[in-house]
């Protein structure tokens, strides 16, 4: 539009110059014709006014374009902020919980109970579940079994307010065996931008978790292997030792555990109950210095966690 206005101004100026470009003179042999005169000066105010108008329109249009660009940039930033807020809401709405399940034998096997819940008001699509075992940032050789339910195989959907749960069987192949973490992640694309969003949690797997489920034993006490006892809540011990609330709890008893990937065994000594429902327990391990202390520390840490179902 600016170019058209400038072009019109030039065309008018050229036309005036062509018509009134100066005084015309006739031939020396012809009779002189009446002169029309030089009238360019009469058009100068018009041209000046036209030029001023064009310059004014140029400034107005430039300002309008700058304002439009500013408003467009502001709108883009608002959209990005809204997308970021929505994606944060979606990521927080997917709740991921885990629980370590010891195997029945101390063969390095264990289970991870994964509970996934969608707390937002609309369904999510193309979710994938990822499990990785790491110790101090380095990968740990763990075989993760294929989940039994189809929802956790490949991509799956999660409806609004839906909750799914599955136990994933795992097997630790590390030698020697140490405590490590299982990093669990649920990935899904953002409905707005396609960006990958994630719900994450870390499930600690302790050495005690790899020793199987303790079983009552008639083995006599091991000499010179008693460690300092820890006070553990009776309610936790019932759940961990799988003693039904309907059954009498075996106080002053001994339980046997199989150390992972070895022939060695550990023994849990359970004492009597105190007035505040705490039970004194301690581990005994032969030929493995420091293991009893480690098992006691693991048990104290484990009973301090919230145990899910």
């Amino acid at each position: 539009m600016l170019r058209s206005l400038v072009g019109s101004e030039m065309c008018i100026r050229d036309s005036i110059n062509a018509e009134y470009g100066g005084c015309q003179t006739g031939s020396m042999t012809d009779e002189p014709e009446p002169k029309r005169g030089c009238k360019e000066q009469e058009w100068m105010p018009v041209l000046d006014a036209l030029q001023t108008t064009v310059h004014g329109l140029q400034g107005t249009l430039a300002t309008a374009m700058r304002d439009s660009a500013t408003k467009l940039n502001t709108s883009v930033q608002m959209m990005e902020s809204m997308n970021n807020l929505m994606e944060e809401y979606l990521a927080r709405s997917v709740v991921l919980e885990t629980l370590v399940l010891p195997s029945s034998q101390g063969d390095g096997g264990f289970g991870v109970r994964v509970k996934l819940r969608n707390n937002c008001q609309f369904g999510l699509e193309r979710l994938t579940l990822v499990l990785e075992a790491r110790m101090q940032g380095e990968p740990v050789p763990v075989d993760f079994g294929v989940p039994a339910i189809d929802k956790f195989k490949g991509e799956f959907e999660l409806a609004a307010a839906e909750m799914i749960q599955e136990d994933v069987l795992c097997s630790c192949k590390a030698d020697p065996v140490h405590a490590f973490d299982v990093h669990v992640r649920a990935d899904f694309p953002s409905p707005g931008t396609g960006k990958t969003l994630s719900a994450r949690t870390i499930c600690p797997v302790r050495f005690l978790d790899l020793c199987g489920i303790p079983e009552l034993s008639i083995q006599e006490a091991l000499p010179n292997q008693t460690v300092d006892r820890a006070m553990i809540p009776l309610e936790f011990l019932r759940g961990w030792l799988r003693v039904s609330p309907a059954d009498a709890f075996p106080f002053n008893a001994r339980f046997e555990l199989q150390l992972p990937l070895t022939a060695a065994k550990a023994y849990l000594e359970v004492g009597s109950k105190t007035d505040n429902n705490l039970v004194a327990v301690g581990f005994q391990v032969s030929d493995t210095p420091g293991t009893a202390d480690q098992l006691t520390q693991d048990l104290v840490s484990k009973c301090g966690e919230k145990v899910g179902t």
Side-chain angles (χ1 to χ4, degrees), residues 234-251:
L234 175 59
E235 182 180 359
F236 170 81
L237 286 177
R238 278 190 176 275
W240 181 55
L241 299 175
R242 302 190 178 185
V243 179
S244 172
D247 298 333
F249 188 84
F251 296 105

Side-chain angles (χ1 to χ4, degrees), residues 232-306:
I232 304 297
L234 175 59
E235 182 180 359
F236 170 81
L237 286 177
R238 278 190 176 275
W240 181 55
L241 299 175
R242 302 190 178 185
V243 179
S244 172
D247 298 333
F249 188 84
F251 296 105
N252 301 311
R254 170 181 285 265
F255 290 81
E256 180 180 298
L257 298 91
Q258 176 66 56
L259 297 183
L261 305 180
T262 68
K265 293 184 181 297
Y267 296 93
L268 173 69
E269 290 188 345
V270 179
S272 58
K273 181 183 70 170
T274 64
D275 293 338
N276 52 356
N277 283 330
L278 296 177
V279 181
V281 301
F283 286 94
Q284 291 183 331
V285 181
S286 61
D287 302 328
T288 313
T291 303
D293 290 331
Q294 181 64 57
L295 292 173
T296 303
Q297 294 175 13
D298 288 350
L299 183 60
V300 172
S301 299
K302 192 174 182 66
C303 75
E305 296 179 346
K306 179 181 179 181

Side-chain angles (χ1 to χ4, degrees), residues 5-291:
L5 292 173
V6 174
S8 299
E9 177 190 357
M10 295 179 62
C11 289
I12 295 174
R13 185 182 293 273
D14 292 343
S15 298
I16 295 174
N17 288 337
E19 183 174 359
Y20 304 105
C23 300
Q24 299 179 0
T25 57
S27 173
M28 295 182 61
T29 57
D30 296 336
E31 291 293 331
E33 295 182 357
K35 296 181 181 179
R36 302 177 64 179
C38 300
K39 296 185 178 181
E40 183 178 359
Q41 293 182 354
E42 298 179 5
W43 285 88
M44 291 304 298
V46 177
L47 294 175
D48 291 340
L50 180 60
Q51 187 175 18
T52 301
T53 302
V54 170
H55 290 166
L57 288 174
Q58 286 178 331
T60 301
L61 290 176
T63 301
M65 292 177 66
R66 285 195 299 268
D67 291 344
S68 298
T70 301
K71 292 179 179 179
L72 179 60
N73 186 44
T74 302
S75 299
V76 170
Q77 291 179 352
M78 290 181 61
M79 291 179 63
E80 290 179 349
S81 298
M82 291 179 63
N83 276 331
N84 292 337
L85 289 174
M86 178 59 70
E87 290 175 350
E88 183 176 356
Y89 164 73
L90 290 175
R92 291 178 178 270
S93 296
V94 178
V95 179
L96 187 61
E97 299 177 355
T98 57
L99 176 68
V100 175
L101 305 173
S103 66
S104 59
Q105 299 178 350
D107 55 359
F110 64 98
V112 176
R113 176 166 295 171
V114 180
K115 184 187 296 184
L116 190 63
R117 184 171 64 253
N118 180 13
N119 285 339
C120 65
Q121 299 180 356
F122 45 88
L124 301 175
E125 299 179 349
R126 297 171 55 194
L127 285 92
T128 56
L129 189 68
V130 181
L131 288 83
E132 298 177 332
R134 294 187 172 275
M135 181 176 61
Q136 298 180 350
E138 297 297 325
V140 176
V142 172
D143 291 339
F144 293 101
V146 179
I149 61 176
D150 292 335
K151 280 253 180 191
F152 282 163
K153 296 177 181 178
E155 294 184 349
F156 59 94
E157 299 179 358
L158 197 61
E162 182 182 6
M163 189 276 291
I164 54 179
Q165 176 178 297
E166 173 64 1
D167 295 343
V168 181
L169 299 180
C170 313
S171 179
C172 179
K173 302 299 182 181
D175 187 15
V177 177
H178 297 283
F180 56 90
D181 295 327
V182 174
H183 295 248
V184 185
R185 189 178 76 245
D187 295 336
F188 59 97
S190 167
T193 62
K195 174 184 175 182
T196 300
L197 307 179
S198 300
R200 302 169 183 267
T201 189
I202 296 178
C203 181
V205 180
R206 300 177 177 85
F207 184 77
L208 179 61
D209 296 321
L210 305 175
C211 294
I213 300 173
E215 297 180 354
L216 277 171
S217 172
I218 59 174
Q219 177 72 28
E220 295 182 357
L222 300 174
N224 303 322
Q225 293 295 326
T226 302
V227 300
D228 293 338
R229 292 177 178 266
M231 305 304 294
I232 304 297
L234 175 59
E235 182 180 359
F236 170 81
L237 286 177
R238 278 190 176 275
W240 181 55
L241 299 175
R242 302 190 178 185
V243 179
S244 172
D247 298 333
F249 188 84
F251 296 105
N252 301 311
R254 170 181 285 265
F255 290 81
E256 180 180 298
L257 298 91
Q258 176 66 56
L259 297 183
L261 305 180
T262 68
K265 293 184 181 297
Y267 296 93
L268 173 69
E269 290 188 345
V270 179
S272 58
K273 181 183 70 170
T274 64
D275 293 338
N276 52 356
N277 283 330
L278 296 177
V279 181
V281 301
F283 286 94
Q284 291 183 331
V285 181
S286 61
D287 302 328
T288 313
T291 303

